[in-house]
Amino acid sequence: MTQSSGLVNIVSRDGKEFRISSVFSNLLELHKEEEDNLENCRIPILNVEGNILEKIIRYCEYHYKNKGTDNHEFIDDEDIDEWDLNLIMDLEKEKENGHRDILEVAIAADYLNIPKLFNICAKHLARKIRNYDAEKIIKYFYIPKQEETANIN
């Protein structure tokens, strides 16, 4: 597909709508059969909130414009470029529990099949919790504690 391709509307779980180039929708693997009628295409992304989808779109636009379609690579530590690192740091600093957004971006990147972004987020989170015990990991990710409900008679 050429860069002059049409635009596609994608809609997040919370109803935020984004108009993106069909080139990016191909990168996100959002559609397979709708290529003939992209102008009127409205694709729901029901697993991703708008604020997270916005960050993923920004990531895809940057990597498309600056490096082509390289988002299907597995990355090593040396491969994390400065822009990617800044994206992660900005996510972490945006709010008190920014690591939660990083986790959401990782989950969304996995859902949208963007392995490089998933790996960047996962590695960052893994480094953060590397020396945590189970209790601290539970608190860090706000995992609800399971109540023991089994009665032994």
Side-chain angles (χ1 to χ4, degrees):
M1 218 174 253
T2 64
Q3 205 150 351
S4 62
S5 296
L7 298 174
V8 177
N9 292 320
I10 58 175
V11 184
S12 66
R13 175 178 31 207
D14 55 352
K16 291 183 182 174
E17 194 160 325
F18 301 90
R19 195 155 173 84
I20 63 171
S21 167
S22 59
V23 172
F24 301 128
S25 67
N26 285 340
L27 290 177
L28 296 173
E29 296 187 10
L30 295 178
H31 59 84
K32 298 288 183 199
E33 288 94 35
E34 301 102 349
E35 289 189 26
D36 295 334
N37 192 17
L38 286 176
E39 280 302 318
N40 299 320
C41 194
R42 191 168 187 264
I43 303 169
I45 310 293
L46 300 177
N47 293 357
V48 183
E49 294 290 332
N51 65 321
I52 301 299
L53 191 54
E54 183 177 4
K55 289 164 183 24
I56 290 173
I57 291 168
R58 192 174 74 191
Y59 172 88
C60 289
E61 287 174 342
Y62 172 81
H63 281 281
Y64 180 78
K65 290 175 184 173
N66 292 288
K67 297 181 182 179
T69 56
D70 68 339
N71 65 342
H72 289 287
E73 301 173 1
F74 184 81
I75 58 161
D76 292 325
D77 289 343
E78 307 86 51
D79 294 336
I80 299 176
D81 67 21
E82 188 176 340
W83 192 91
D84 293 340
L85 186 59
N86 288 336
L87 174 71
I88 296 299
M89 299 325 273
D90 289 346
L91 280 170
E92 195 166 58
K93 292 176 186 174
E94 274 182 15
K95 47 186 162 174
E96 184 179 328
N97 56 353
H99 62 278
R100 187 79 175 158
D101 279 354
I102 296 170
L103 178 61
E104 290 297 320
V105 168
I107 292 168
D110 185 47
Y111 173 72
L112 294 169
N113 195 24
I114 309 170
K116 186 173 180 182
L117 180 57
F118 172 80
N119 289 330
I120 291 166
C121 294
K123 284 183 178 195
H124 178 79
L125 292 170
R127 282 188 194 104
K128 285 288 196 180
I129 65 170
R130 171 179 21 217
N131 296 318
Y132 288 8
D133 61 16
E135 193 64 34
K136 195 164 182 179
I137 291 171
I138 288 169
K139 287 179 184 176
Y140 187 77
F141 289 115
Y142 304 104
I143 300 170
K145 289 186 179 183
Q146 302 232 346
E147 299 292 327
E148 291 185 339
T149 57
N151 287 331
I152 302 174
N153 291 329

